[in-house]
PDB file of all heavy atoms in Angstrom:
ATOM      1  N   GLU A  24       6.839 -14.560  -4.080  1.00 98.00           N
ATOM      2  CA  GLU A  24       6.078 -15.555  -3.324  1.00 98.00           C
ATOM      3  C   GLU A  24       5.295 -16.414  -4.317  1.00 98.00           C
ATOM      4  O   GLU A  24       4.936 -15.956  -5.400  1.00 98.00           O
ATOM      5  CB  GLU A  24       5.125 -14.842  -2.342  1.00 98.00           C
ATOM      6  CG  GLU A  24       4.320 -15.765  -1.450  1.00 98.00           C
ATOM      7  CD  GLU A  24       5.194 -16.657  -0.587  1.00 98.00           C
ATOM      8  OE1 GLU A  24       5.851 -16.139   0.340  1.00 98.00           O
ATOM      9  OE2 GLU A  24       5.235 -17.871  -0.874  1.00 98.00           O
ATOM     10  N   GLN A  25       5.041 -17.641  -3.925  1.00 98.00           N
ATOM     11  CA  GLN A  25       4.244 -18.522  -4.766  1.00 98.00           C
ATOM     12  C   GLN A  25       2.752 -18.231  -4.585  1.00 98.00           C
ATOM     13  O   GLN A  25       2.332 -17.709  -3.542  1.00 98.00           O
ATOM     14  CB  GLN A  25       4.519 -19.980  -4.405  1.00 98.00           C
ATOM     15  CG  GLN A  25       5.913 -20.459  -4.774  1.00 98.00           C
ATOM     16  CD  GLN A  25       6.100 -21.946  -4.499  1.00 98.00           C
ATOM     17  OE1 GLN A  25       5.389 -22.533  -3.698  1.00 98.00           O
ATOM     18  NE2 GLN A  25       7.063 -22.542  -5.188  1.00 98.00           N
ATOM     19  N   ALA A  26       1.993 -18.569  -5.577  1.00 98.00           N
ATOM     20  CA  ALA A  26       0.541 -18.432  -5.470  1.00 98.00           C
ATOM     21  C   ALA A  26       0.036 -19.212  -4.263  1.00 98.00           C
ATOM     22  O   ALA A  26       0.482 -20.332  -4.009  1.00 98.00           O
ATOM     23  CB  ALA A  26      -0.128 -18.926  -6.742  1.00 98.00           C
ATOM     24  N   GLY A  27      -0.864 -18.581  -3.526  1.00 98.00           N
ATOM     25  CA  GLY A  27      -1.388 -19.179  -2.309  1.00 98.00           C
ATOM     26  C   GLY A  27      -0.631 -18.787  -1.061  1.00 98.00           C
ATOM     27  O   GLY A  27      -1.100 -19.038   0.065  1.00 98.00           O
ATOM     28  N   GLY A  28       0.517 -18.172  -1.234  1.00 98.00           N
ATOM     29  CA  GLY A  28       1.339 -17.765  -0.113  1.00 98.00           C
ATOM     30  C   GLY A  28       0.935 -16.426   0.466  1.00 98.00           C
ATOM     31  O   GLY A  28      -0.088 -15.835   0.066  1.00 98.00           O
ATOM     32  N   SER A  29       1.754 -15.937   1.386  1.00 98.00           N
ATOM     33  CA  SER A  29       1.449 -14.703   2.104  1.00 98.00           C
ATOM     34  C   SER A  29       2.676 -13.798   2.158  1.00 98.00           C
ATOM     35  O   SER A  29       3.809 -14.277   2.167  1.00 98.00           O
ATOM     36  CB  SER A  29       1.003 -15.004   3.544  1.00 98.00           C
ATOM     37  OG  SER A  29      -0.165 -15.786   3.572  1.00 98.00           O
ATOM     38  N   LEU A  30       2.406 -12.522   2.205  1.00 98.00           N
ATOM     39  CA  LEU A  30       3.424 -11.512   2.440  1.00 98.00           C
ATOM     40  C   LEU A  30       2.823 -10.432   3.326  1.00 98.00           C
ATOM     41  O   LEU A  30       1.608 -10.194   3.285  1.00 98.00           O
ATOM     42  CB  LEU A  30       3.913 -10.878   1.136  1.00 98.00           C
ATOM     43  CG  LEU A  30       4.846 -11.684   0.239  1.00 98.00           C
ATOM     44  CD1 LEU A  30       5.045 -10.962  -1.090  1.00 98.00           C
ATOM     45  CD2 LEU A  30       6.181 -11.930   0.907  1.00 98.00           C
ATOM     46  N   ARG A  31       3.678  -9.766   4.089  1.00 98.00           N
ATOM     47  CA  ARG A  31       3.223  -8.648   4.910  1.00 98.00           C
ATOM     48  C   ARG A  31       4.048  -7.422   4.565  1.00 98.00           C
ATOM     49  O   ARG A  31       5.263  -7.413   4.746  1.00 98.00           O
ATOM     50  CB  ARG A  31       3.374  -8.964   6.396  1.00 98.00           C
ATOM     51  CG  ARG A  31       2.729  -7.915   7.313  1.00 98.00           C
ATOM     52  CD  ARG A  31       3.213  -8.066   8.728  1.00 98.00           C
ATOM     53  NE  ARG A  31       2.370  -7.355   9.685  1.00 98.00           N
ATOM     54  CZ  ARG A  31       2.791  -6.978  10.886  1.00 98.00           C
ATOM     55  NH1 ARG A  31       4.027  -7.255  11.276  1.00 98.00           N
ATOM     56  NH2 ARG A  31       1.965  -6.348  11.702  1.00 98.00           N
ATOM     57  N   LEU A  32       3.373  -6.407   4.059  1.00 98.00           N
ATOM     58  CA  LEU A  32       4.030  -5.157   3.737  1.00 98.00           C
ATOM     59  C   LEU A  32       3.931  -4.197   4.916  1.00 98.00           C
ATOM     60  O   LEU A  32       2.927  -4.180   5.628  1.00 98.00           O
ATOM     61  CB  LEU A  32       3.396  -4.511   2.511  1.00 98.00           C
ATOM     62  CG  LEU A  32       3.312  -5.363   1.254  1.00 98.00           C
ATOM     63  CD1 LEU A  32       2.743  -4.536   0.096  1.00 98.00           C
ATOM     64  CD2 LEU A  32       4.641  -5.962   0.877  1.00 98.00           C
ATOM     65  N   SER A  33       4.968  -3.417   5.091  1.00 98.00           N
ATOM     66  CA  SER A  33       4.985  -2.375   6.120  1.00 98.00           C
ATOM     67  C   SER A  33       5.294  -1.044   5.471  1.00 98.00           C
ATOM     68  O   SER A  33       6.019  -0.981   4.477  1.00 98.00           O
ATOM     69  CB  SER A  33       6.045  -2.678   7.186  1.00 98.00           C
ATOM     70  OG  SER A  33       5.799  -3.901   7.832  1.00 98.00           O
ATOM     71  N   CYS A  34       4.771   0.003   6.052  1.00 98.00           N
ATOM     72  CA  CYS A  34       5.051   1.365   5.590  1.00 98.00           C
ATOM     73  C   CYS A  34       5.285   2.215   6.835  1.00 98.00           C
ATOM     74  O   CYS A  34       4.353   2.442   7.607  1.00 98.00           O
ATOM     75  CB  CYS A  34       3.899   1.898   4.764  1.00 98.00           C
ATOM     76  SG  CYS A  34       4.046   3.637   4.314  1.00 98.00           S
ATOM     77  N   VAL A  35       6.513   2.653   6.991  1.00 97.00           N
ATOM     78  CA  VAL A  35       6.884   3.456   8.152  1.00 97.00           C
ATOM     79  C   VAL A  35       6.989   4.922   7.734  1.00 97.00           C
ATOM     80  O   VAL A  35       7.644   5.243   6.736  1.00 97.00           O
ATOM     81  CB  VAL A  35       8.216   2.989   8.750  1.00 97.00           C
ATOM     82  CG1 VAL A  35       8.570   3.836   9.961  1.00 97.00           C
ATOM     83  CG2 VAL A  35       8.143   1.520   9.129  1.00 97.00           C
ATOM     84  N   ALA A  36       6.362   5.763   8.506  1.00 95.00           N
ATOM     85  CA  ALA A  36       6.410   7.194   8.234  1.00 95.00           C
ATOM     86  C   ALA A  36       7.382   7.874   9.187  1.00 95.00           C
ATOM     87  O   ALA A  36       7.423   7.566  10.367  1.00 95.00           O
ATOM     88  CB  ALA A  36       5.023   7.804   8.395  1.00 95.00           C
ATOM     89  N   SER A  37       8.131   8.791   8.660  1.00 92.00           N
ATOM     90  CA  SER A  37       9.049   9.583   9.483  1.00 92.00           C
ATOM     91  C   SER A  37       8.845  11.058   9.184  1.00 92.00           C
ATOM     92  O   SER A  37       8.328  11.424   8.128  1.00 92.00           O
ATOM     93  CB  SER A  37      10.501   9.191   9.204  1.00 92.00           C
ATOM     94  OG  SER A  37      10.828   9.435   7.857  1.00 92.00           O
ATOM     95  N   GLY A  38       9.212  11.882  10.109  1.00 90.00           N
ATOM     96  CA  GLY A  38       9.114  13.318   9.902  1.00 90.00           C
ATOM     97  C   GLY A  38       7.989  13.976  10.685  1.00 90.00           C
ATOM     98  O   GLY A  38       8.095  15.129  11.059  1.00 90.00           O
ATOM     99  N   ARG A  39       6.888  13.260  10.853  1.00 89.00           N
ATOM    100  CA  ARG A  39       5.777  13.774  11.651  1.00 89.00           C
ATOM    101  C   ARG A  39       4.820  12.637  11.955  1.00 89.00           C
ATOM    102  O   ARG A  39       4.825  11.617  11.268  1.00 89.00           O
ATOM    103  CB  ARG A  39       5.034  14.894  10.920  1.00 89.00           C
ATOM    104  CG  ARG A  39       4.456  14.479   9.599  1.00 89.00           C
ATOM    105  CD  ARG A  39       3.764  15.608   8.877  1.00 89.00           C
ATOM    106  NE  ARG A  39       2.365  15.728   9.234  1.00 89.00           N
ATOM    107  CZ  ARG A  39       1.504  16.451   8.541  1.00 89.00           C
ATOM    108  NH1 ARG A  39       1.899  17.169   7.510  1.00 89.00           N
ATOM    109  NH2 ARG A  39       0.239  16.524   8.918  1.00 89.00           N
ATOM    110  N   SER A  40       3.997  12.820  12.921  1.00 92.00           N
ATOM    111  CA  SER A  40       3.006  11.811  13.250  1.00 92.00           C
ATOM    112  C   SER A  40       1.879  11.826  12.215  1.00 92.00           C
ATOM    113  O   SER A  40       1.418  12.888  11.806  1.00 92.00           O
ATOM    114  CB  SER A  40       2.406  12.081  14.627  1.00 92.00           C
ATOM    115  OG  SER A  40       1.314  11.231  14.871  1.00 92.00           O
ATOM    116  N   LEU A  41       1.459  10.615  11.812  1.00 92.00           N
ATOM    117  CA  LEU A  41       0.367  10.505  10.859  1.00 92.00           C
ATOM    118  C   LEU A  41      -0.887   9.940  11.504  1.00 92.00           C
ATOM    119  O   LEU A  41      -1.796   9.477  10.816  1.00 92.00           O
ATOM    120  CB  LEU A  41       0.798   9.619   9.684  1.00 92.00           C
ATOM    121  CG  LEU A  41       1.998  10.133   8.881  1.00 92.00           C
ATOM    122  CD1 LEU A  41       2.285   9.217   7.716  1.00 92.00           C
ATOM    123  CD2 LEU A  41       1.766  11.561   8.415  1.00 92.00           C
ATOM    124  N   SER A  42      -0.933   9.991  12.813  1.00 94.00           N
ATOM    125  CA  SER A  42      -2.022   9.342  13.532  1.00 94.00           C
ATOM    126  C   SER A  42      -3.382   9.995  13.297  1.00 94.00           C
ATOM    127  O   SER A  42      -4.401   9.392  13.619  1.00 94.00           O
ATOM    128  CB  SER A  42      -1.719   9.323  15.031  1.00 94.00           C
ATOM    129  OG  SER A  42      -1.576  10.634  15.530  1.00 94.00           O
ATOM    130  N   SER A  43      -3.408  11.195  12.740  1.00 96.00           N
ATOM    131  CA  SER A  43      -4.675  11.881  12.498  1.00 96.00           C
ATOM    132  C   SER A  43      -5.151  11.746  11.056  1.00 96.00           C
ATOM    133  O   SER A  43      -6.191  12.307  10.695  1.00 96.00           O
ATOM    134  CB  SER A  43      -4.528  13.374  12.823  1.00 96.00           C
ATOM    135  OG  SER A  43      -4.101  13.570  14.136  1.00 96.00           O
ATOM    136  N   HIS A  44      -4.403  11.023  10.246  1.00 96.00           N
ATOM    137  CA  HIS A  44      -4.633  11.005   8.799  1.00 96.00           C
ATOM    138  C   HIS A  44      -4.996   9.623   8.269  1.00 96.00           C
ATOM    139  O   HIS A  44      -4.476   8.615   8.756  1.00 96.00           O
ATOM    140  CB  HIS A  44      -3.383  11.479   8.068  1.00 96.00           C
ATOM    141  CG  HIS A  44      -2.919  12.841   8.474  1.00 96.00           C
ATOM    142  ND1 HIS A  44      -3.558  13.995   8.059  1.00 96.00           N
ATOM    143  CD2 HIS A  44      -1.890  13.231   9.254  1.00 96.00           C
ATOM    144  CE1 HIS A  44      -2.938  15.032   8.573  1.00 96.00           C
ATOM    145  NE2 HIS A  44      -1.921  14.609   9.302  1.00 96.00           N
ATOM    146  N   ALA A  45      -5.844   9.614   7.254  1.00 97.00           N
ATOM    147  CA  ALA A  45      -6.125   8.373   6.545  1.00 97.00           C
ATOM    148  C   ALA A  45      -4.893   7.927   5.770  1.00 97.00           C
ATOM    149  O   ALA A  45      -4.142   8.754   5.249  1.00 97.00           O
ATOM    150  CB  ALA A  45      -7.294   8.570   5.593  1.00 97.00           C
ATOM    151  N   MET A  46      -4.718   6.619   5.695  1.00 97.00           N
ATOM    152  CA  MET A  46      -3.606   6.059   4.938  1.00 97.00           C
ATOM    153  C   MET A  46      -4.137   4.956   4.032  1.00 97.00           C
ATOM    154  O   MET A  46      -5.168   4.352   4.327  1.00 97.00           O
ATOM    155  CB  MET A  46      -2.517   5.519   5.864  1.00 97.00           C
ATOM    156  CG  MET A  46      -1.893   6.595   6.726  1.00 97.00           C
ATOM    157  SD  MET A  46      -0.437   6.050   7.628  1.00 97.00           S
ATOM    158  CE  MET A  46       0.763   5.908   6.295  1.00 97.00           C
ATOM    159  N   GLY A  47      -3.417   4.718   2.956  1.00 98.00           N
ATOM    160  CA  GLY A  47      -3.896   3.731   2.009  1.00 98.00           C
ATOM    161  C   GLY A  47      -2.769   2.982   1.328  1.00 98.00           C
ATOM    162  O   GLY A  47      -1.600   3.361   1.415  1.00 98.00           O
ATOM    163  N   TRP A  48      -3.151   1.910   0.681  1.00 98.00           N
ATOM    164  CA  TRP A  48      -2.254   1.122  -0.166  1.00 98.00           C
ATOM    165  C   TRP A  48      -2.807   1.110  -1.587  1.00 98.00           C
ATOM    166  O   TRP A  48      -4.010   0.915  -1.787  1.00 98.00           O
ATOM    167  CB  TRP A  48      -2.124  -0.313   0.338  1.00 98.00           C
ATOM    168  CG  TRP A  48      -1.307  -0.475   1.579  1.00 98.00           C
ATOM    169  CD1 TRP A  48      -1.761  -0.535   2.858  1.00 98.00           C
ATOM    170  CD2 TRP A  48       0.118  -0.595   1.646  1.00 98.00           C
ATOM    171  NE1 TRP A  48      -0.705  -0.689   3.729  1.00 98.00           N
ATOM    172  CE2 TRP A  48       0.462  -0.743   3.009  1.00 98.00           C
ATOM    173  CE3 TRP A  48       1.152  -0.614   0.702  1.00 98.00           C
ATOM    174  CZ2 TRP A  48       1.773  -0.888   3.449  1.00 98.00           C
ATOM    175  CZ3 TRP A  48       2.449  -0.760   1.138  1.00 98.00           C
ATOM    176  CH2 TRP A  48       2.761  -0.896   2.498  1.00 98.00           C
ATOM    177  N   PHE A  49      -1.909   1.290  -2.540  1.00 98.00           N
ATOM    178  CA  PHE A  49      -2.232   1.194  -3.951  1.00 98.00           C
ATOM    179  C   PHE A  49      -1.225   0.259  -4.602  1.00 98.00           C
ATOM    180  O   PHE A  49      -0.193  -0.072  -4.011  1.00 98.00           O
ATOM    181  CB  PHE A  49      -2.147   2.576  -4.616  1.00 98.00           C
ATOM    182  CG  PHE A  49      -3.265   3.510  -4.231  1.00 98.00           C
ATOM    183  CD1 PHE A  49      -3.298   4.105  -2.978  1.00 98.00           C
ATOM    184  CD2 PHE A  49      -4.289   3.799  -5.116  1.00 98.00           C
ATOM    185  CE1 PHE A  49      -4.333   4.950  -2.609  1.00 98.00           C
ATOM    186  CE2 PHE A  49      -5.326   4.655  -4.769  1.00 98.00           C
ATOM    187  CZ  PHE A  49      -5.341   5.229  -3.516  1.00 98.00           C
ATOM    188  N   ARG A  50      -1.516  -0.145  -5.815  1.00 98.00           N
ATOM    189  CA  ARG A  50      -0.563  -0.963  -6.554  1.00 98.00           C
ATOM    190  C   ARG A  50      -0.601  -0.617  -8.023  1.00 98.00           C
ATOM    191  O   ARG A  50      -1.615  -0.114  -8.535  1.00 98.00           O
ATOM    192  CB  ARG A  50      -0.830  -2.456  -6.349  1.00 98.00           C
ATOM    193  CG  ARG A  50      -2.155  -2.946  -6.927  1.00 98.00           C
ATOM    194  CD  ARG A  50      -2.391  -4.401  -6.516  1.00 98.00           C
ATOM    195  NE  ARG A  50      -3.623  -4.925  -7.095  1.00 98.00           N
ATOM    196  CZ  ARG A  50      -4.126  -6.125  -6.777  1.00 98.00           C
ATOM    197  NH1 ARG A  50      -3.505  -6.917  -5.910  1.00 98.00           N
ATOM    198  NH2 ARG A  50      -5.254  -6.532  -7.353  1.00 98.00           N
ATOM    199  N   GLN A  51       0.510  -0.876  -8.676  1.00 98.00           N
ATOM    200  CA  GLN A  51       0.598  -0.616 -10.110  1.00 98.00           C
ATOM    201  C   GLN A  51       1.396  -1.723 -10.769  1.00 98.00           C
ATOM    202  O   GLN A  51       2.557  -1.962 -10.400  1.00 98.00           O
ATOM    203  CB  GLN A  51       1.257   0.737 -10.371  1.00 98.00           C
ATOM    204  CG  GLN A  51       1.224   1.157 -11.824  1.00 98.00           C
ATOM    205  CD  GLN A  51       1.619   2.615 -11.998  1.00 98.00           C
ATOM    206  OE1 GLN A  51       2.237   3.230 -11.129  1.00 98.00           O
ATOM    207  NE2 GLN A  51       1.236   3.201 -13.123  1.00 98.00           N
ATOM    208  N   SER A  52       0.764  -2.382 -11.710  1.00 97.00           N
ATOM    209  CA  SER A  52       1.448  -3.411 -12.470  1.00 97.00           C
ATOM    210  C   SER A  52       1.823  -2.851 -13.829  1.00 97.00           C
ATOM    211  O   SER A  52       1.339  -1.801 -14.250  1.00 97.00           O
ATOM    212  CB  SER A  52       0.575  -4.660 -12.615  1.00 97.00           C
ATOM    213  OG  SER A  52      -0.699  -4.331 -13.114  1.00 97.00           O
ATOM    214  N   ALA A  53       2.710  -3.558 -14.518  1.00 93.00           N
ATOM    215  CA  ALA A  53       3.268  -3.067 -15.774  1.00 93.00           C
ATOM    216  C   ALA A  53       2.177  -2.753 -16.784  1.00 93.00           C
ATOM    217  O   ALA A  53       1.305  -3.588 -17.052  1.00 93.00           O
ATOM    218  CB  ALA A  53       4.242  -4.091 -16.335  1.00 93.00           C
ATOM    219  N   GLY A  54       2.213  -1.545 -17.305  1.00 94.00           N
ATOM    220  CA  GLY A  54       1.281  -1.151 -18.344  1.00 94.00           C
ATOM    221  C   GLY A  54      -0.106  -0.791 -17.871  1.00 94.00           C
ATOM    222  O   GLY A  54      -1.009  -0.561 -18.684  1.00 94.00           O
ATOM    223  N   LYS A  55      -0.287  -0.738 -16.555  1.00 96.00           N
ATOM    224  CA  LYS A  55      -1.616  -0.434 -16.015  1.00 96.00           C
ATOM    225  C   LYS A  55      -1.581   0.810 -15.144  1.00 96.00           C
ATOM    226  O   LYS A  55      -0.526   1.246 -14.682  1.00 96.00           O
ATOM    227  CB  LYS A  55      -2.141  -1.628 -15.221  1.00 96.00           C
ATOM    228  CG  LYS A  55      -2.408  -2.867 -16.055  1.00 96.00           C
ATOM    229  CD  LYS A  55      -3.092  -3.948 -15.222  1.00 96.00           C
ATOM    230  CE  LYS A  55      -3.415  -5.169 -16.065  1.00 96.00           C
ATOM    231  NZ  LYS A  55      -4.093  -6.217 -15.261  1.00 96.00           N
ATOM    232  N   GLU A  56      -2.761   1.351 -14.939  1.00 96.00           N
ATOM    233  CA  GLU A  56      -2.901   2.490 -14.045  1.00 96.00           C
ATOM    234  C   GLU A  56      -2.718   2.041 -12.591  1.00 96.00           C
ATOM    235  O   GLU A  56      -2.951   0.879 -12.252  1.00 96.00           O
ATOM    236  CB  GLU A  56      -4.295   3.106 -14.202  1.00 96.00           C
ATOM    237  CG  GLU A  56      -4.595   3.667 -15.579  1.00 96.00           C
ATOM    238  CD  GLU A  56      -3.916   5.001 -15.794  1.00 96.00           C
ATOM    239  OE1 GLU A  56      -3.859   5.782 -14.835  1.00 96.00           O
ATOM    240  OE2 GLU A  56      -3.437   5.236 -16.914  1.00 96.00           O
ATOM    241  N   ARG A  57      -2.306   2.992 -11.754  1.00 97.00           N
ATOM    242  CA  ARG A  57      -2.226   2.704 -10.329  1.00 97.00           C
ATOM    243  C   ARG A  57      -3.645   2.475  -9.809  1.00 97.00           C
ATOM    244  O   ARG A  57      -4.563   3.243 -10.108  1.00 97.00           O
ATOM    245  CB  ARG A  57      -1.573   3.871  -9.587  1.00 97.00           C
ATOM    246  CG  ARG A  57      -1.262   3.592  -8.148  1.00 97.00           C
ATOM    247  CD  ARG A  57      -0.396   4.684  -7.544  1.00 97.00           C
ATOM    248  NE  ARG A  57       0.900   4.765  -8.206  1.00 97.00           N
ATOM    249  CZ  ARG A  57       1.910   5.523  -7.769  1.00 97.00           C
ATOM    250  NH1 ARG A  57       1.749   6.262  -6.657  1.00 97.00           N
ATOM    251  NH2 ARG A  57       3.044   5.571  -8.409  1.00 97.00           N
ATOM    252  N   GLU A  58      -3.817   1.409  -9.021  1.00 98.00           N
ATOM    253  CA  GLU A  58      -5.149   1.074  -8.540  1.00 98.00           C
ATOM    254  C   GLU A  58      -5.192   0.989  -7.024  1.00 98.00           C
ATOM    255  O   GLU A  58      -4.220   0.619  -6.368  1.00 98.00           O
ATOM    256  CB  GLU A  58      -5.633  -0.254  -9.151  1.00 98.00           C
ATOM    257  CG  GLU A  58      -4.864  -1.471  -8.732  1.00 98.00           C
ATOM    258  CD  GLU A  58      -5.529  -2.758  -9.208  1.00 98.00           C
ATOM    259  OE1 GLU A  58      -6.671  -2.734  -9.692  1.00 98.00           O
ATOM    260  OE2 GLU A  58      -4.880  -3.819  -9.061  1.00 98.00           O
ATOM    261  N   PHE A  59      -6.359   1.311  -6.518  1.00 98.00           N
ATOM    262  CA  PHE A  59      -6.605   1.272  -5.088  1.00 98.00           C
ATOM    263  C   PHE A  59      -6.624  -0.161  -4.584  1.00 98.00           C
ATOM    264  O   PHE A  59      -7.172  -1.049  -5.246  1.00 98.00           O
ATOM    265  CB  PHE A  59      -7.944   1.943  -4.793  1.00 98.00           C
ATOM    266  CG  PHE A  59      -8.483   1.696  -3.409  1.00 98.00           C
ATOM    267  CD1 PHE A  59      -7.940   2.349  -2.323  1.00 98.00           C
ATOM    268  CD2 PHE A  59      -9.528   0.808  -3.213  1.00 98.00           C
ATOM    269  CE1 PHE A  59      -8.435   2.129  -1.052  1.00 98.00           C
ATOM    270  CE2 PHE A  59     -10.035   0.572  -1.955  1.00 98.00           C
ATOM    271  CZ  PHE A  59      -9.488   1.233  -0.869  1.00 98.00           C
ATOM    272  N   VAL A  60      -6.033  -0.377  -3.409  1.00 98.00           N
ATOM    273  CA  VAL A  60      -6.039  -1.693  -2.786  1.00 98.00           C
ATOM    274  C   VAL A  60      -6.816  -1.654  -1.465  1.00 98.00           C
ATOM    275  O   VAL A  60      -7.757  -2.427  -1.267  1.00 98.00           O
ATOM    276  CB  VAL A  60      -4.606  -2.198  -2.533  1.00 98.00           C
ATOM    277  CG1 VAL A  60      -4.623  -3.511  -1.760  1.00 98.00           C
ATOM    278  CG2 VAL A  60      -3.851  -2.349  -3.846  1.00 98.00           C
ATOM    279  N   ALA A  61      -6.415  -0.760  -0.560  1.00 98.00           N
ATOM    280  CA  ALA A  61      -7.050  -0.713   0.757  1.00 98.00           C
ATOM    281  C   ALA A  61      -6.776   0.633   1.403  1.00 98.00           C
ATOM    282  O   ALA A  61      -5.787   1.287   1.078  1.00 98.00           O
ATOM    283  CB  ALA A  61      -6.530  -1.831   1.648  1.00 98.00           C
ATOM    284  N   THR A  62      -7.650   1.018   2.318  1.00 98.00           N
ATOM    285  CA  THR A  62      -7.454   2.241   3.072  1.00 98.00           C
ATOM    286  C   THR A  62      -7.896   2.033   4.505  1.00 98.00           C
ATOM    287  O   THR A  62      -8.733   1.163   4.793  1.00 98.00           O
ATOM    288  CB  THR A  62      -8.207   3.428   2.441  1.00 98.00           C
ATOM    289  OG1 THR A  62      -7.893   4.631   3.160  1.00 98.00           O
ATOM    290  CG2 THR A  62      -9.711   3.212   2.477  1.00 98.00           C
TER     291      THR A  62
END
């Protein structure tokens, strides 16, 4: 995507319901530690 644009990520869980659990997003760029994005 170009700078200023938008994207929507989805994460689908299978195997069991996750409705009782906290969920989060992290990201990792080249040469860097994985970092927290949102929860």
Side-chain angles (χ1 to χ4, degrees):
E24 183 59 70
Q25 291 185 338
S29 299
L30 285 172
R31 188 195 196 202
L32 305 184
S33 300
C34 173
V35 180
S37 61
R39 59 182 271 194
S40 171
L41 299 183
S42 60
S43 303
H44 303 285
M46 298 189 72
W48 287 95
F49 288 74
R50 66 187 182 187
Q51 187 168 19
S52 52
K55 294 187 178 181
E56 297 283 322
R57 189 170 297 188
E58 66 171 350
F59 166 75
V60 174
T62 185

